[in-house]
Amino acid sequence: MSITATESSIEAPAGTTAATADIDGGSAVRQTFLPLILDVAVPMGSYYLLKSGFGMSTMAALGWSSVVPAVRTVWGVVKERTFNGLAALILFVNVVGLLLSLVAGDPRLMLAKDSGVSSVVGIGILVSVMLGKPMMTTALKPFITKGDAVKTAAWERLLSGSERFRKFERTFSLVWGVALFGECLVRIVGAYTLPIDTMVWLGTVIMIATIALAMLFSGGLAAGPMEKMLDDELADQAR
């Protein structure tokens, strides 16, 4: 998915105006965020909208929210000859949710089933780290490069030439994978040990706390140092 930078620096062509640069930057941001929106935000958002907003059953909501990731996965394989790992993971999560819904007649099993989504996503992220293709880079890169062409080129140089930078990249995904898998374990234990009424609201609290902690630790252990390395790389190129 990445491109290798062949130039040590990128200069704006003669005659490039600030307005043109803003347009190019905005286009770059859109191109970077679009896959994340289509692969994650749309299917997850449509699931909650269909279930809570339109009163659909869990199975119906999961089924309809699987359309976009299914199309994206098939399109990537057939048309672009690439495998869209993020879209495939969301599709897999929805399929697992559908299968679990078939056997979730017990209220406690229903609560445990909801935590299964986190476990599947967490395992998927951890596997991507093991395969050398950290999945959370899709979300990390736009926040560090901000769609800027010069920063993107510096990112690619560091990614191809710095093991320390790649280690931070893996660490970012590792933190999120461990956090989501840990959330799953905590919620499953709570589903079978705490009162059902308690877990109905506590499950949401656990999810929010997990996301907050993952953001804190992944920022301190990976995103922050990576941004510092990127700034240093840009400063070196400017000399």
Side-chain angles (χ1 to χ4, degrees):
M1 294 176 63
S2 64
I3 56 174
T4 302
T6 57
E7 301 293 333
S8 59
S9 63
I10 297 178
E11 298 181 356
T16 299
T17 63
T20 302
D22 289 340
I23 293 174
D24 292 341
S27 177
V29 171
R30 285 193 297 272
Q31 290 175 4
T32 305
F33 276 102
L34 187 59
L36 193 61
I37 293 172
L38 292 177
D39 296 336
V40 180
V42 171
M44 293 187 70
S46 61
Y47 167 74
Y48 288 110
L49 178 63
L50 292 172
K51 184 179 179 183
S52 302
F54 292 91
M56 284 190 177
S57 66
T58 298
M59 291 189 67
L62 281 170
W64 282 107
S65 64
S66 300
V67 173
V68 171
V71 171
R72 292 271 293 169
T73 302
V74 174
W75 177 266
V77 173
V78 176
K79 184 70 176 180
E80 300 177 358
R81 299 184 183 279
T82 58
F83 181 71
N84 190 323
L86 200 55
L89 178 61
I90 296 299
L91 177 61
F92 179 68
V93 167
N94 285 355
V95 171
V96 171
L98 283 168
L99 295 176
L100 289 175
S101 296
L102 295 175
V103 297
D106 176 28
R108 292 190 180 276
L109 184 57
M110 283 292 292
L111 290 173
K113 175 188 71 67
D114 291 338
S115 68
V117 173
S118 296
S119 70
V120 173
V121 174
I123 291 173
I125 293 173
L126 292 175
V127 170
S128 74
V129 174
M130 294 174 60
L131 295 176
K133 298 180 179 180
M135 192 172 293
M136 289 301 294
T137 299
T138 305
L140 172 64
K141 183 178 178 181
F143 286 103
I144 292 184
T145 63
K146 313 242 177 349
D148 182 84
V150 175
K151 288 186 176 181
T152 299
W155 169 288
E156 299 299 343
R157 287 195 300 273
L158 288 170
L159 199 61
S160 62
S162 173
E163 175 56 31
R164 183 166 176 260
F165 192 80
R166 290 193 294 270
K167 182 179 179 181
F168 285 134
E169 180 198 22
R170 294 192 297 269
T171 299
F172 186 85
S173 285
L174 187 63
V175 169
W176 278 95
V178 170
L180 292 174
F181 188 68
E183 180 215 0
C184 165
L185 296 180
V186 170
R187 291 178 67 179
I188 288 177
V189 171
Y192 285 98
T193 58
L194 297 176
I196 294 176
D197 289 342
T198 300
M199 273 307 298
V200 168
W201 63 265
L202 185 58
T204 302
V205 173
I206 292 173
M207 178 187 67
I208 294 174
T210 298
I211 293 174
L213 288 173
M215 291 176 65
L216 177 65
F217 280 96
S218 63
L221 295 175
M226 290 176 77
E227 192 165 12
K228 176 65 167 54
M229 289 184 68
L230 195 69
D231 290 340
D232 291 343
E233 172 71 12
L234 291 174
D236 291 340
Q237 291 296 317
R239 290 177 187 148

